[in-house]
């Protein structure tokens, strides 16, 4: 069994329904033709530097990925995580999403976790 999380590069004003709608478009195979959002690239690079999604380590015992490689698009990264995924991986995903101002969508229940509001 696996569970899926998706990080989305959305505008600060987008509501959770916009994140879910963007994910529905992705599920239908609709992806924008535009350059990759730098936040998504930074997220992917940081996460896969510690938890590779390609090569022998991606499928080795202890890998957090249920179905590597990750689905990477210009505005999002979908992660299929193994049910035994260590908490440290989930914490890294949450931390990186927050640091990079990405929305985090839990596909199991549709909950959207927006980036934290930063005070000035």
């Amino acid at each position: 069994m696996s569970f899926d999380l998706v990080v989305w590069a959305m505008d600060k004003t987008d509501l959770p329904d916009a994140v879910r709608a963007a994910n529905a478009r992705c599920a239908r195979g609709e992806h924008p033709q535009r350059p990759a959002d730098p936040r998504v690239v930074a997220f992917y690079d940081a996460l896969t530097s510690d938890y590779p999604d390609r090569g022998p380590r991606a499928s080795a015992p202890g890998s957090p990925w249920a179905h590597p490689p990750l689905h990477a698009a210009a505005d999002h990264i979908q992660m299929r995580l193994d049910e035994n995924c260590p908490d440290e991986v989930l914490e890294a995903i949450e931390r990186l999403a927050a640091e990079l101002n990405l929305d985090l969508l839990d596909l199991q229940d549709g909950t959207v976790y927006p980036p934290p509001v930063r005070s000035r």
Side-chain angles (χ1 to χ4, degrees):
M1 190 77 170
S2 65
F3 62 100
D4 297 357
L5 298 174
V6 188
V7 292
W8 282 92
M10 304 293 287
D11 291 330
K12 288 186 244 182
T13 58
D14 284 334
L15 298 174
D17 282 343
V19 177
R20 288 187 280 273
N23 199 76
R25 286 190 297 275
C26 171
R28 291 190 303 267
E30 299 171 19
H31 294 95
Q33 298 301 313
R34 64 181 181 105
D37 189 294
R39 298 173 291 170
V40 170
V41 174
F43 178 90
Y44 179 84
D45 289 346
L47 187 63
T48 59
S49 70
D50 289 331
Y51 309 104
D53 70 326
R54 299 175 190 278
R57 285 184 53 200
S59 301
S63 170
W65 312 125
H67 300 285
L70 306 182
H71 168 74
D75 56 356
H76 67 281
I77 303 288
Q78 181 175 354
M79 300 154 281
R80 289 198 154 167
L81 295 136
D82 185 83
E83 64 184 12
N84 297 315
C85 175
D87 287 344
E88 68 187 37
V89 177
L90 299 174
E91 291 165 2
I93 291 168
E94 291 172 359
R95 178 184 50 77
L96 287 168
E99 288 173 4
L100 295 166
N101 292 313
L102 297 168
D103 288 274
L104 180 61
L105 171 62
D106 182 335
L107 291 183
Q108 285 56 240
D109 64 6
T111 301
V112 175
Y113 302 93
V117 175
R118 302 213 191 282
S119 59
R120 293 183 178 220

